[in-house]
Amino acid sequence: MTLDSLSLTNFKNYSQVEVSLCPKVNCFVGNNGAGKTNLLDAVYYLSFCKSYFNPVDVQNIRVGEEFFAVHGHYGADVASCILRRGKGKEMRWNKKVYKTLSAHIGKLPLVMVSPNDQQLITGGSDLRRKFVDGVIAQTDRQYLEHLIQYNKALEQRNRLLKQMWDDRQWDEPMVALWDAQLVQHGEALYAARTRFVEVFMPLFEEYYHRIAGSDEPGAIRYQRDERPLAEQLDAARQADRYAQYTTCGPHKDDLLFMLSGDMSVKRFGSQGQQKSFALALKLAQFQYLLNLLGEKPILLLDDIFDKLDMLRVKQLIALVGSDRFGQVLLTDTQPGRVQSIFDELPDLEHRIFQVDRGSVTLNS
């Protein structure tokens, strides 16, 4: 789908703004702190019912206001996300309120690329699991349901382990009850993640080769305990009892990012290699969603050009502006830089917007 227009009310630093977009490349330029990234985050809300940058929804309400509303027109369809202080969040599709937010995930496929993505390489395993879960959930509603139910069972089991420790009393039947829930949903997560990596790997390899510009291979490995989950839980009984939480399962999985076969990108990769790896992951995510869903996700590029030389910026714009990609929204601090690029790509449909602390103006 293509986002034709975006409307914000009391969202972050915006009181009221409406933006009409073109179906290809839309550039938001302005100084740091002007609100460029906030526009991309609003579009992210419409796909995922949450912020990419701030998990505390209420903090995204404009200071002094009681609600925010984000509306997006996708052809004849309208997506809306509305949050009122003290009343929770609503996600609507053509004015109809979803019973659960998860029912909307996958409706509007989207990929966000930002400077924070390097944390996928350098950060903890939870970030890499979140990346995998977010990609699969956009294409597989059953996976999302298994993930939700697994996390609920995990929370209950951990609470039980803590309570039993405090009471100095072990309740094996109750532990077994939550084990059964973890096994049912956890094995489904294992299977789906394994299939995902198998399909995702060649897509990643292609984009890494394009971006890195070398023959040095990049690789992804799925790291998990290969034993059946029921066997893992049985073996970890005593460890879980003393730790007071569940020490094994899909919530401990990781992705290993490697160079030249067995060299960790996190430990041995240069800054340039890490950035290339992170960008290749996100572009491969785009291709994965396109292949499975049959439509091009919206691509958001937030302030990624400052870390690239001019040649690579031109190559990236030419790539995302090609027929392989669909609608693109990007931010930059230098109007002259993006204008010079489009001057060299005269056939690429685009719009450039000037952002200035709460206002958005289409450059003539």
Side-chain angles (χ1 to χ4, degrees), residues 14 17 34 354-361:
Y14 291 98
V17 69
Q354 182 68 42
V355 181
D356 185 16
R357 293 192 177 277
S359 68
V360 182
T361 306

Side-chain angles (χ1 to χ4, degrees), residues 125-133 193 250-253:
S125 61
D126 59 314
L127 298 176
R128 291 180 285 278
R129 286 193 300 274
K130 183 179 178 181
F131 169 74
V132 172
D133 291 339
R193 289 174 180 176
H251 61 288
K252 295 293 184 180
D253 291 353

Side-chain angles (χ1 to χ4, degrees), residues 46 49 78-80 89-105 107-108 141:
L46 293 177
C49 317
V78 181
S80 302
K89 181 168 49 180
E90 287 184 357
M91 193 72 207
R92 301 177 182 177
W93 183 252
N94 293 329
K95 299 184 179 181
K96 184 177 180 180
V97 179
Y98 285 99
K99 293 181 179 179
T100 62
L101 297 177
S102 62
H104 179 69
I105 304 302
K107 189 82 171 180
L108 301 170
R141 191 165 299 281

Side-chain angles (χ1 to χ4, degrees), residues 238-292:
Q238 284 298 102
D240 290 357
R241 183 173 183 175
Y242 289 109
Q244 302 170 57
Y245 63 85
T246 307
T247 61
C248 61
H251 61 288
K252 295 293 184 180
D253 291 353
D254 199 359
L255 289 184
L256 302 182
F257 299 144
M258 314 300 291
L259 291 171
S260 300
D262 59 356
M263 292 180 61
S264 167
V265 179
K266 181 176 182 178
R267 294 185 60 192
F268 301 106
S270 67
Q271 287 285 321
Q273 288 170 322
Q274 291 180 358
K275 291 169 185 172
S276 296
F277 219 96
L279 182 55
L281 284 171
K282 288 306 187 79
L283 295 182
Q285 175 188 355
F286 176 96
Q287 192 66 45
Y288 177 88
L289 294 175
L290 171 60
N291 291 351
L292 268 68

